[in-house]
Amino acid sequence: MKLPVGLNNLVEFLQRLPGVGQKNALRMAFYLLQTPDSFNNELAETISELKKKVLVCQECFSVSEDEICEVCQNKNRNSQIICVVERADDVLTIESMGGFEGKYHVLGGAINPLNHIGPENLRINELLNRVIKNEVLEVIMATNLSLEGEATALYIKSKLNKNVKVTRIGTGLPMGADLGYADMATLQRAMDGRREI
Amino acid sequence: MKLPVGLNNLVEFLQRLPGVGQKNALRMAFYLLQTPDSFNNELAETISELKKKVLVCQECFSVSEDEICEVCQNKNRNSQIICVVERADDVLTIESMGGFEGKYHVLGGAINPLNHIGPENLRINELLNRVIKNEVLEVIMATNLSLEGEATALYIKSKLNKNVKVTRIGTGLPMGADLGYADMATLQRAMDGRREI
């Protein structure tokens, strides 16, 4: 039995979202068949408006409602400590832990030759410029503890002036882990146990 | 740190989908921030067009592209055997198993007093009419093996003429299970081992 085209299209779209398999996509699609029209229309509008409403901070490249994000605008935060992460959602993860008083820098990924992502595809030059401009004292490398994240951390370390202290979050997070799925206690340990590279 | 409004709205909408938690919704929303505009727009359109393009079969109430679905239109299928399921996706599950030659009837749920779903909210009268009109010989009750599904099966049995054979899928599916997540072998055993109630 073939699925009706409209339903089939939706299932195919939903399956491309991260963490959504075929069964799940089918379940969501059938759910959307019985929700009120208003819910479907609002969901559709939110998706198509998403990129217009959510901006990228021109300072740290995290998500923002304005040109410069809340964290970068906050004068109480220390501009001389920058925590470097791969993705914007990693900023949220560290912020939800609380206690970090510095600022962030979102690279937009990690060096990954197999996927043709080199240093030039990441916001590394922007980081190096910020470090000079703000006279940064410490760069905390909080890229994922994968091969790519480690390589990116080492690459950035090699590009920074020797006077800048470069640290790496360490204790607690197991190798191969994804930052987004760390529990808060582990993340706190990793932040406390950062080591110089 | 507050999420930008557009992102936050999307996360809240996505969290209402079945099987989507907060972490998952956030991951999907961030994924949609980096997909091409065309993907987001097409996904949005598919969602808002869904209910216009996917019709409900006027015979069995499964999903369909036309007024009458593929299965109901198929003259090779036996109209005198009706398999009764709770939801339209249960039809897909049984069809993907293959081998069932009868037709279907989608109730639209199961009797559930706690959620204020009584027999009058389900398509039971439509089933009783079909049984008379098509001189149905056997009604296979394939509602879920939950309390609600069992109660619905017994209720429908009580409403049908004593001449109609009413069977219940049985062996294999554990009590409390959801039809949509059964493996094909278990489902086949359940179909073969149906028992009269």
Side-chain angles (χ1 to χ4, degrees):
Chain A
M1 184 194 176
K2 284 202 318 288
L3 271 181
V5 173
L7 201 59
N8 197 47
N9 287 347
L10 181 57
V11 169
E12 279 179 14
F13 274 120
L14 292 174
Q15 264 184 275
R16 284 167 62 182
L17 298 179
V20 180
Q22 202 201 353
K23 280 255 175 193
N24 249 316
L26 206 57
R27 205 169 146 213
M28 287 181 202
F30 273 102
Y31 177 83
L32 288 171
L33 271 177
Q34 55 183 18
T35 42
D37 286 351
S38 60
F39 177 84
N40 293 19
N41 291 337
E42 282 171 44
L43 170 58
E45 203 190 312
T46 316
I47 290 172
S48 60
E49 294 289 305
L50 179 67
K51 289 208 219 166
K52 287 170 214 155
K53 291 211 175 146
V54 181
L55 305 178
V56 169
C57 171
Q58 291 307 302
E59 191 77 19
C60 71
F61 306 98
S62 177
V63 288
S64 173
E65 278 182 73
D66 305 297
E67 284 245 315
I68 304 294
C69 77
E70 218 181 305
V71 173
C72 287
Q73 278 182 18
N74 187 340
K75 296 232 166 67
N76 292 325
R77 300 191 67 139
N78 189 343
S79 310
Q80 294 189 299
I81 302 180
I82 292 186
C83 177
V84 177
V85 294
E86 292 183 20
R87 299 186 315 259
D89 50 332
D90 295 332
V91 173
L92 291 175
T93 308
I94 298 179
E95 279 296 286
S96 68
M97 170 192 86
F100 176 64
E101 292 297 326
K103 300 202 169 173
Y104 295 96
H105 190 88
V106 178
L107 292 174
I111 296 170
N112 188 342
L114 288 177
N115 287 344
H116 308 289
I117 301 174
E120 67 282 3
N121 303 115
L122 304 175
R123 299 195 196 92
I124 292 178
N125 282 332
E126 289 87 339
L127 172 65
L128 302 179
N129 292 339
R130 272 182 85 187
V131 168
I132 294 165
K133 196 182 112 195
N134 297 328
E135 294 172 355
V136 168
L137 300 175
E138 179 177 0
V139 174
I140 304 171
M141 295 303 311
T143 49
N144 286 332
L145 282 111
S146 58
L147 270 178
E148 294 81 11
E150 291 277 293
T152 309
L154 289 172
Y155 178 84
I156 290 173
K157 158 85 176 168
S158 77
K159 291 289 172 186
L160 283 164
N161 192 302
K162 296 283 168 288
N163 302 329
V164 181
K165 185 172 164 192
V166 183
T167 54
R168 179 84 173 107
I169 53 164
T171 327
L173 280 180
M175 288 298 286
D178 188 290
L179 210 73
Y181 285 89
D183 64 274
M184 295 303 121
T186 308
L187 195 61
Q188 184 76 62
R189 280 255 294 281
M191 190 60 91
D192 293 340
R194 60 188 190 251
R195 61 188 167 73
E196 197 159 349
I197 48 178
Chain B
M1 183 195 176
K2 283 202 318 288
L3 272 181
V5 173
L7 202 59
N8 197 47
N9 287 347
L10 181 57
V11 169
E12 279 179 13
F13 274 120
L14 291 175
Q15 264 184 276
R16 285 167 61 182
L17 298 179
V20 179
Q22 203 202 353
K23 279 256 175 192
N24 249 316
L26 206 58
R27 206 169 146 213
M28 286 182 203
F30 272 102
Y31 177 82
L32 288 171
L33 271 177
Q34 55 183 17
T35 43
D37 286 351
S38 60
F39 178 85
N40 294 19
N41 291 338
E42 282 171 45
L43 170 59
E45 202 190 313
T46 316
I47 290 172
S48 60
E49 294 289 305
L50 179 67
K51 290 209 219 165
K52 288 171 213 155
K53 290 211 176 146
V54 180
L55 305 178
V56 170
C57 171
Q58 291 308 302
E59 190 77 19
C60 72
F61 306 98
S62 177
V63 288
S64 173
E65 277 182 73
D66 305 297
E67 284 246 313
I68 304 294
C69 77
E70 219 181 303
V71 174
C72 287
Q73 277 181 19
N74 187 340
K75 295 231 166 67
N76 292 324
R77 299 191 68 138
N78 189 344
S79 309
Q80 293 188 299
I81 302 179
I82 291 185
C83 178
V84 178
V85 294
E86 292 183 21
R87 299 185 314 260
D89 50 331
D90 296 332
V91 173
L92 292 174
T93 308
I94 298 180
E95 279 296 287
S96 67
M97 168 192 87
F100 176 63
E101 291 297 327
K103 298 202 168 173
Y104 295 96
H105 190 88
V106 178
L107 292 174
I111 297 170
N112 189 341
L114 287 177
N115 287 343
H116 308 290
I117 300 174
E120 67 283 2
N121 303 114
L122 305 173
R123 300 195 196 92
I124 293 178
N125 282 333
E126 289 86 340
L127 172 64
L128 302 179
N129 292 339
R130 272 182 87 187
V131 168
I132 294 165
K133 195 181 112 194
N134 297 328
E135 295 172 354
V136 167
L137 300 175
E138 180 177 359
V139 174
I140 305 171
M141 295 302 312
T143 50
N144 286 333
L145 281 110
S146 58
L147 270 179
E148 295 80 12
E150 292 277 293
T152 308
L154 289 172
Y155 177 84
I156 289 174
K157 159 85 177 169
S158 76
K159 291 289 171 185
L160 283 165
N161 192 302
K162 296 283 169 286
N163 301 329
V164 180
K165 186 170 163 191
V166 184
T167 54
R168 179 84 173 106
I169 52 164
T171 327
L173 281 181
M175 288 297 287
D178 188 289
L179 210 73
Y181 285 88
D183 64 274
M184 295 303 121
T186 308
L187 195 61
Q188 185 76 62
R189 280 254 294 279
M191 191 58 92
D192 294 339
R194 62 187 190 252
R195 61 186 165 76
E196 197 159 349
I197 47 177

